């Protein structure tokens, strides 16, 4: 298995960066594009890695319906696309009512891609799982939201999801933004797959400061004894510093490739 960072907030050597996230996950003969950032940066960086996404991608998975994860969909077409049915709602920031949903409508995406939506877990292959809607069970995650829906109701981003891959009998959890809480995601990945040991957690953790949520999240990962942690994108500097102090993490950068020993279940 190989994961290539095509879009992230920090640029690697010779690669572009933007506020967004896009990973190419190559596993079991499949090329899964997980999110697309908000421009064509993911395609440009893929080209630098010798990858033609339009030709080579087997499946696109959209983690949730925010602009910085899904507006790059404008630069692809004709591919299978998997996401939550609520990914297409109109949503806004409370502070200024600025929009942060997708540029493309449900109708446009449905015409442009072979669309599958699921709020329930969806098994992509024998060992690759799309988790669907994440239950919010921890007392320290997803307790408030800066977002609202078109009607003014709180938007807790119910469509926020993730991937879980079983490798050597352990889990690799890949998150887009973790609005649902990265610990909630990990616990649900265990429930969905039946695998209780987590080997790696990679992606946006949506932690902004060295607050109680960050401290509780670090405690959770310490208890889980996870070998590989790579918080990125929406994990801001103060939280990254806390993770570095606790785990000695490296910074995620575009162009970075993370390899895992290949194995079946």
């Amino acid at each position: 298995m190989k994961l290539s960072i095509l879009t992230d907030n920090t640029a690697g050597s010779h690669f572009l960066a933007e506020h967004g996230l896009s990973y190419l996950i190559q596993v079991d003969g499949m090329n899964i594009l997980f999110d697309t950032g908000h421009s064509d940066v993911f395609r440009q960086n893929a080209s630098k890695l010798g990858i033609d996404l339009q030709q080579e991608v087997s499946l696109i998975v959209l983690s949730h319906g925010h602009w910085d994860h899904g507006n790059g969909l404008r630069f692809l077409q004709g591919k299978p696309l998997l996401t939550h049915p609520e990914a297409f709602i109109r949503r806004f920031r409370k502070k200024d009512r600025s929009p942060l949903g997708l540029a493309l409508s449900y109708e446009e995406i449905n015409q442009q891609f072979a669309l599958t939506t699921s709020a329930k877990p969806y098994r992509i292959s024998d060992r690759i799982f799309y988790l669907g809607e994440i239950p919010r069970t921890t007392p320290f995650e997803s307790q408030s939201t800066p977002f609202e829906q078109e009607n003014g109701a709180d938007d807790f981003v119910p469509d926020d999801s993730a991937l879980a891959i079983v490798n050597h009998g352990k889990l690799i959890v890949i998150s887009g933004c973790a609005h649902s809480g990265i610990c909630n995601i990990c616990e649900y990945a265990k429930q969905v797959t039946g695998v209780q040991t987590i080997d790696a957690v990679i992606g946006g953790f949506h932690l902004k400061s060295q607050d109680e949520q960050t401290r509780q999240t670090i405690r959770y990962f310490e208890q889980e004894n996870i070998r590989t942690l790579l918080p990125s994108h929406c994990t801001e500097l103060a939280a990254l510093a806390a993770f570095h102090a606790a785990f000695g993490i490296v910074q995620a950068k575009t162009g970075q490739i993370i390899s895992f020993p290949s194995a079946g279940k």
Side-chain angles (χ1 to χ4, degrees):
M1 174 184 162
K2 183 167 69 173
L3 183 148
S4 302
I5 300 178
L6 303 182
T7 296
D8 205 276
N9 297 29
T10 303
S13 179
H14 308 299
F15 292 91
L16 302 174
E18 66 181 10
H19 179 83
L21 184 142
S22 179
Y23 297 155
L24 182 68
I25 304 159
Q26 297 169 285
V27 57
D28 293 349
M30 297 183 67
N31 290 335
I32 300 173
L33 182 65
F34 183 74
D35 288 349
T36 64
H38 72 83
S39 73
D40 67 342
V41 160
F42 75 109
R43 289 194 65 174
Q44 293 186 60
N45 285 339
S47 181
K48 290 176 185 289
L49 292 171
I51 301 165
D52 183 338
L53 294 176
Q54 185 61 52
Q55 295 297 319
E56 299 181 36
V57 165
S58 314
L59 170 69
I60 303 169
V61 175
L62 178 63
S63 67
H64 65 296
H66 277 174
W67 65 282
D68 50 337
H69 294 258
N71 278 1
L73 289 171
R74 294 170 295 169
F75 303 97
L76 291 173
Q77 60 183 349
K79 297 293 182 182
L81 170 63
L82 173 62
T83 193
H84 189 286
E86 294 290 304
F88 310 100
I89 65 174
R90 296 191 67 193
R91 52 206 348 162
F92 303 86
R93 298 175 182 87
K94 288 180 180 178
K95 63 180 181 180
D96 57 8
R97 285 288 289 178
S98 58
L100 72 157
L102 300 175
L104 296 176
S105 67
Y106 168 81
E107 292 75 17
E108 290 170 321
I109 287 176
N110 196 35
Q111 291 177 358
Q112 192 167 324
F113 301 95
L115 178 63
T116 298
T117 61
S118 181
K120 296 181 178 180
Y122 185 97
R123 197 161 189 167
I124 294 170
S125 75
D126 189 45
R127 63 188 184 117
I128 307 171
F129 298 80
Y130 167 74
L131 296 180
E133 193 161 330
I134 308 295
R136 319 291 171 102
T137 59
T138 64
F140 57 89
E141 295 179 300
S142 192
Q143 299 300 301
S144 62
T145 179
F147 310 131
E148 63 184 13
Q149 298 180 18
E150 188 173 14
N151 62 4
D154 281 347
D155 178 16
F156 279 88
V157 198
D159 46 314
D160 180 77
S161 193
L163 290 176
I165 301 172
V166 181
N167 196 54
H168 285 291
K170 299 179 181 180
L171 287 178
I172 300 167
V173 178
I174 302 168
S175 165
C177 223
H179 293 283
S180 52
I182 192 62
C183 303
N184 283 329
I185 288 170
C186 289
E187 285 301 298
Y188 195 51
K190 292 180 186 178
Q191 181 180 331
V192 168
T193 64
V195 177
Q196 299 304 304
T197 303
I198 301 173
D199 184 53
V201 185
I202 301 168
F205 290 4
H206 213 263
L207 299 171
K208 304 299 184 181
S209 62
Q210 294 190 23
D211 59 6
E212 186 61 20
Q213 182 178 347
T214 296
R215 289 189 288 271
Q216 292 273 17
T217 301
I218 287 173
R219 280 191 208 106
Y220 173 84
F221 286 139
E222 287 174 336
Q223 292 167 357
E224 292 295 315
N225 195 28
I226 295 169
R227 182 178 64 90
T228 300
L229 283 171
L230 192 65
S232 66
H233 175 48
C234 54
T235 316
E236 294 191 0
L237 184 59
L240 287 173
F243 270 85
H244 179 73
F247 304 108
I249 62 164
V250 298
Q251 186 175 27
K253 297 180 180 181
T254 54
Q256 184 176 348
I257 298 173
I258 305 158
S259 295
F260 296 87
S262 60
K265 289 183 69 179

